[in-house]
C-alpha cells in the first residue's frame, strides 16, 4: 500500500518509495510495478500525475483526479508557482548555502536555464577510511529548485563536485560502491520533502510534507543527522 500524504476531491499526494517508477516506460522494461497503477487500484479512481520524480528519488508525488485539475497543476508547475524542497545526502562538506545557476543540455541538444538554491543542514565525519582519507565526510542539504529540468538536482550537485550518494549516472562510482560494500546501501539519497502550491479549485494555500523513506533514515541515523 502506498502512503497517502494528502487527499481531497481533486488531488491526491503519496510518499513515493525509492525505486518505484511513476508510470510505465520503455526505458525501464524490467519494472513490474508503477505508482500510477498502484494508486489507481488502491483508491479505485482514475488518477494522473501532475509532475514527475525519478525512479530512484523518493518522496512527494502529486496526482489529479480529473483532467481540468491536472492541466491547472501542470501550468502552475511550469510557471514556477509550486515551491519544491528536497533533502539530499552529498559527498563531502558542502558550503553553508549556495545558489547554482548552471544551464543544462537536453538530449536533443537544447540548452535550458536551470537554477537551484540549497542550504546545508548538517555535516558528518565518519571514522571509516575512504581511499587515501582516514575518515569519510558527508552533508545533509535542503535543496529548492526553481526550475524543473530532468535530473536537475543530480546534475547540479555533480557540477559543484558534491554528488548525491547513490546516484549511479551523475554521482561518484567509488562512493556508491563504498556504500554498497560498507552498508549494503544502493538507494539514491534524494527525497522530495515538501510541496507548496495554490489549490487550483479552492484557491487555498496547500503545504505538504513527507518523511524520508526508511533507507534514507537508516543513513541519517548512521551519520548522526
Amino acid at each position: 500500500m502506498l502512503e497517502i500524504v494528502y487527499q481531497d476531491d481533486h488531488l491526491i499526494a503519496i510518499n513515493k518509495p525509492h525505486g518505484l517508477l511513476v508510470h510505465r516506460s520503455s526505458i525501464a522494461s524490467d519494472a513490474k510495478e508503477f505508482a500510477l497503477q498502484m494508486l489507481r487500484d488502491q483508491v479505485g479512481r482514475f488518477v494522473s500525475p501532475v509532475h514527475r520524480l525519478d525512479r530512484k528519488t523518493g518522496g512527494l508525488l502529486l496526482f489529479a483526479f480529473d483532467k481540468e485539475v491536472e492541466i491547472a497543476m501542470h501550468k502552475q508547475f511550469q510557471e514556477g508557482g509550486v515551491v519544491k524542497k528536497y533533502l539530499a545526502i552529498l559527498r563531502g562538506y558542502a558550503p553553508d548555502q549556495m545558489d547554482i545557476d548552471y544551464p543544462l543540455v537536453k538530449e536533443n541538444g537544447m540548452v535550458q536555464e536551470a537554477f537551484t538554491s540549497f542550504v546545508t543542514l548538517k555535516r558528518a565525519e565518519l571514522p571509516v577510511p575512504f581511499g587515501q582519507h582516514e575518515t569519510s565526510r558527508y552533508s545533509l542539504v535542503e535543496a529548492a529548485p526553481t526550475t524543473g529540468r530532468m535530473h536537475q538536482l543530480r546534475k547540479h550537485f555533480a557540477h559543484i563536485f558534491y554528488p548525491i550518494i547513490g546516484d549511479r549516472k551523475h554521482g561518484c562510482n567509488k562512493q556508491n560502491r563504498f556504500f554498497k560494500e560498507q552498508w549494503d546501501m544502493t538507494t539514491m539519497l534524494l527525497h522530495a520533502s515538501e510541496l507548496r502550491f495554490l489549490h487550483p479549485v479552492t484557491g487555498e494555500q496547500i503545504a505538504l510534507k513527507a518523511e524520508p523513506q526508511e533507507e534514507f533514515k537508516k543513513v541519517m541515523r548512521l551519520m548522526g543527522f
Side-chain angles (χ1 to χ4, degrees), residues 36-48:
L36 176 63
Q37 193 59 55
M38 289 173 68
L39 187 58
R40 284 180 181 175
D41 293 344
Q42 187 168 323
V43 299
R45 293 182 63 183
F46 170 86
V47 296
S48 184

Side-chain angles (χ1 to χ4, degrees), residues 1-203:
M1 297 285 283
L2 295 167
E3 178 192 350
I4 295 174
V5 177
Y6 174 85
Q7 183 176 356
D8 63 24
D9 291 338
H10 310 282
L11 295 166
I12 184 168
I14 65 167
N15 188 356
K16 184 183 85 69
H18 298 276
L20 181 64
L21 278 171
V22 175
H23 51 67
R24 193 179 302 276
S25 170
S26 60
I27 61 175
S29 57
D30 62 307
K32 299 293 186 289
E33 291 185 314
F34 312 93
L36 176 63
Q37 193 59 55
M38 289 173 68
L39 187 58
R40 284 180 181 175
D41 293 344
Q42 187 168 323
V43 299
R45 293 182 63 183
F46 170 86
V47 296
S48 184
V50 300
H51 67 124
R52 300 287 185 269
L53 287 180
D54 292 344
R55 181 178 186 175
K56 293 192 72 178
T57 303
L60 283 167
L61 185 60
L62 187 64
F63 296 81
F65 284 124
D66 60 73
K67 199 66 180 176
E68 287 186 7
V69 172
E70 177 192 347
I71 292 170
M73 284 307 307
H74 274 310
K75 185 178 180 184
Q76 200 170 155
F77 271 96
Q78 289 167 359
E79 294 178 350
V82 180
V83 175
K84 300 167 286 184
K85 291 188 178 180
Y86 292 75
L87 295 175
I89 296 178
L90 313 180
R91 179 192 69 185
Y93 278 3
D96 288 345
Q97 60 182 47
M98 188 175 182
D99 295 332
I100 308 172
D101 185 359
Y102 179 66
L104 299 175
V105 182
K106 294 180 67 176
E107 291 181 356
N108 62 8
M110 180 187 295
V111 178
Q112 297 178 304
E113 60 179 34
F115 188 86
T116 301
S117 296
F118 75 88
V119 295
T120 297
L121 303 176
K122 294 185 179 181
R123 297 183 179 93
E125 184 170 18
L126 302 184
V128 182
F130 178 76
Q132 297 179 347
H133 304 283
E134 294 182 358
T135 60
S136 303
R137 291 181 169 185
Y138 303 97
S139 299
L140 174 67
V141 302
E142 181 179 75
T146 53
T147 51
R149 312 309 181 198
M150 180 177 284
H151 294 183
Q152 177 173 317
L153 293 179
R154 299 166 65 177
K155 292 177 179 178
H156 271 181
F157 284 122
H159 172 68
I160 63 169
F161 304 107
Y162 296 98
I164 298 171
I165 299 299
D167 184 352
R168 287 201 299 256
K169 187 170 184 179
H170 306 287
C172 173
N173 290 331
K174 290 181 180 179
Q175 279 285 351
N176 296 342
R177 187 163 57 249
F178 177 61
F179 265 73
K180 187 175 189 326
E181 293 171 353
Q182 192 76 29
W183 296 294
D184 193 28
M185 205 289 301
T186 58
T187 301
M188 184 172 72
L189 298 177
L190 179 61
H191 170 75
S193 56
E194 295 186 36
L195 282 176
R196 294 205 306 272
F197 56 92
L198 285 178
H199 196 290
V201 177
T202 67

